[in-house]
Amino acid sequence: MRKRIINLTVFFAVLVCMCIQAEAGSPVRVRINTTHALENAVGAVSDAGLSVTTDVIITSSSQFNGHPFLSPDKFIQDAQSVQATILSSSFSGWDYLLDTQLYLKLTKNGLVHVYAYEPRHAQPPNAPPPAAFVTVNLYGGRTDGGIEFGIAKGYMNKHGQSDTPSGATAQIAGLMASLKYTHPDWNWFDVKAALRATATNFAAGYNPKKSGYGSINYRAANLLTDSNHLPLFPPAALMRTTKNNTVVFAVNSFKQTRRVADTLFKFRMQPFVIPRDLTLAELKALGGQLLYTGDLSETTNSLAVYLANNEMTFFVWLSKDSNGKYSRIEPYSILGPVFITPEKTNAGL
């Protein structure tokens, strides 16, 4: 009798697991910008062991390869028309400013846009990896400021593999959709966090000269479970100075489930890159002064800060969780130095 009870316990445990997996059966819808590289996205889902008819549904914005290409803003409308939540554009023309321009429109609608890292002009070397977009190229291919991931040629050696930037872009879109399907409680930032945490450069930190967070590892990312245990990543922030001693930030929050707020610190000396979670006490010991804590992601991704004359400042944007932990300091977290001098309003003085 005891043996039967144990067997029944195992049986019901298996049933519970099957039911949980069944709940993950709400399809994830992917929209490809024209049919360009469509086969790589389809192949990636197949490589992940999922169905392209019931689990991850992939459609294209047109029936033609490469045309008519939809600009990122128009592509959002097209994706929403078929209830897709992940978009993929395997085309050149990436610009790091797109993430700021379309951040609110993408995140408010629960969307993410995968884009080939093939800029038409050089990107700033200190440009952050995007928050609402995903930038990717073949590992060992073109890489610079603002790239997020690389994919090795022939990755997974099956249907989704590619030796072109276009194919790699669609492949990662298919793999991200597969991660979202098998982790239905994750949002797209969690999916990105899982891929970052298992990519080749994670331990050392972001490196724009080596494909950002490096070459992805889908299988390792898929083994992660609890979104609250994923590493915390900083927002993608940009900075410009204006008149009247004002510094204006565009802050693209990295809204993974674990994050509750964005925080801004200032330092007199340039801080070190620290690729791990930090406490407030540690940040203060490093010379950090907390200037702002809040959530800009629902209304505007902009913040203005006043800076005194003759003050040398480095700014650092970090994310914060509910336990008071702060995200790692990445190279792109550090903005500055900024040094504002009084304007000479009277030439005779």
Side-chain angles (χ1 to χ4, degrees):
M1 178 66 69
R2 181 179 177 84
K3 186 175 181 180
R4 288 182 179 177
I5 291 174
I6 292 174
N7 287 342
L8 283 174
T9 301
V10 173
F11 173 73
F12 283 116
V14 171
L15 277 181
V16 169
C17 289
M18 290 175 65
C19 290
I20 292 174
Q21 184 64 31
E23 290 177 2
S26 297
V28 177
R29 299 181 183 274
V30 183
R31 192 67 161 177
I32 305 294
N33 206 338
T34 82
T35 61
H36 189 51
L38 174 68
E39 66 278 5
N40 297 99
V42 172
V45 174
S46 175
D47 294 343
L50 300 178
S51 167
V52 291
T53 57
T54 60
D55 303 335
V56 177
I57 299 173
I58 303 174
T59 58
S60 60
S61 61
S62 79
Q63 298 304 309
F64 303 99
N65 185 352
H67 65 279
F69 165 76
L70 294 178
S71 60
D73 56 335
K74 293 182 179 179
F75 195 24
I76 290 175
Q77 299 173 6
D78 173 79
Q80 289 179 303
S81 71
V82 294
Q83 298 180 311
T85 58
I86 178 168
L87 298 66
S88 182
S89 293
S90 293
F91 296 92
S92 62
W94 167 253
D95 190 301
Y96 74 106
L97 293 175
L98 288 172
D99 194 50
T100 296
Q101 293 165 1
L102 294 176
Y103 176 84
L104 292 174
K105 193 169 184 180
L106 285 166
T107 57
K108 284 186 175 182
N109 290 288
L111 305 175
V112 66
H113 190 162
V114 184
Y115 212 108
Y117 190 83
E118 286 291 325
R120 293 195 182 97
H121 54 82
Q123 301 291 283
N126 60 343
F133 282 79
V134 179
T135 46
V136 60
N137 203 343
L138 288 170
Y139 192 73
R142 188 171 183 178
T143 176
D144 211 333
I147 191 170
E148 188 168 12
F149 296 117
I151 298 185
K153 288 184 180 180
Y155 181 64
M156 296 182 81
N157 297 312
K158 292 184 180 179
H159 304 92
Q161 65 178 320
S162 176
D163 59 0
T164 69
S166 293
T169 302
Q171 183 183 24
I172 200 172
L175 293 176
M176 285 182 63
S178 299
L179 282 174
K180 184 71 175 69
Y181 176 81
T182 55
H183 300 81
D185 59 322
W186 288 6
N187 63 33
W188 286 118
F189 293 99
D190 296 327
V191 171
K192 280 160 60 79
L195 285 172
R196 288 181 176 189
T198 52
T200 53
N201 294 341
F202 171 72
Y206 179 83
N207 187 341
K209 296 300 183 182
K210 294 183 178 180
S211 298
Y213 282 102
S215 187
I216 68 163
N217 187 335
Y218 167 80
R219 292 188 177 91
N222 197 38
L223 290 175
L224 302 177
T225 55
D226 188 351
S227 60
N228 286 309
H229 290 161
L230 293 172
L232 194 61
F233 290 93
L238 304 175
M239 176 185 73
R240 62 184 175 90
T241 58
T242 66
K243 294 181 179 180
N244 302 319
N245 294 48
T246 302
V247 181
V248 179
F249 298 96
V251 186
N252 304 329
S253 305
F254 199 84
K255 295 182 64 174
Q256 56 191 111
T257 298
R258 185 182 158 194
R259 168 222 174 255
V260 296
D262 297 319
T263 60
L264 175 63
F265 289 82
K266 74 173 183 177
F267 293 77
R268 291 294 181 90
M269 302 293 290
Q270 184 171 357
F272 295 106
V273 171
I274 304 178
R276 61 172 176 82
D277 287 357
L278 294 161
T279 65
L280 181 58
E282 287 177 315
L283 287 162
K284 287 183 175 180
L286 293 169
Q289 177 185 346
L290 181 61
L291 296 181
Y292 170 83
T293 298
D295 186 0
L296 300 168
S297 64
E298 295 299 327
T299 54
T300 175
N301 51 342
S302 178
L303 179 73
V305 173
Y306 176 84
L307 196 63
N309 286 329
N310 301 319
E311 182 179 352
M312 179 73 76
T313 303
F314 289 87
F315 292 102
V316 174
W317 278 97
L318 301 174
S319 300
K320 180 184 177 183
D321 72 4
S322 59
N323 295 317
K325 287 290 186 72
Y326 294 82
S327 61
R328 48 177 35 212
I329 300 177
E330 293 280 16
Y332 59 84
S333 306
I334 305 168
L335 302 177
V338 177
F339 185 73
I340 295 180
T341 58
E343 292 185 0
K344 294 182 178 180
T345 56
N346 190 329
L349 297 178

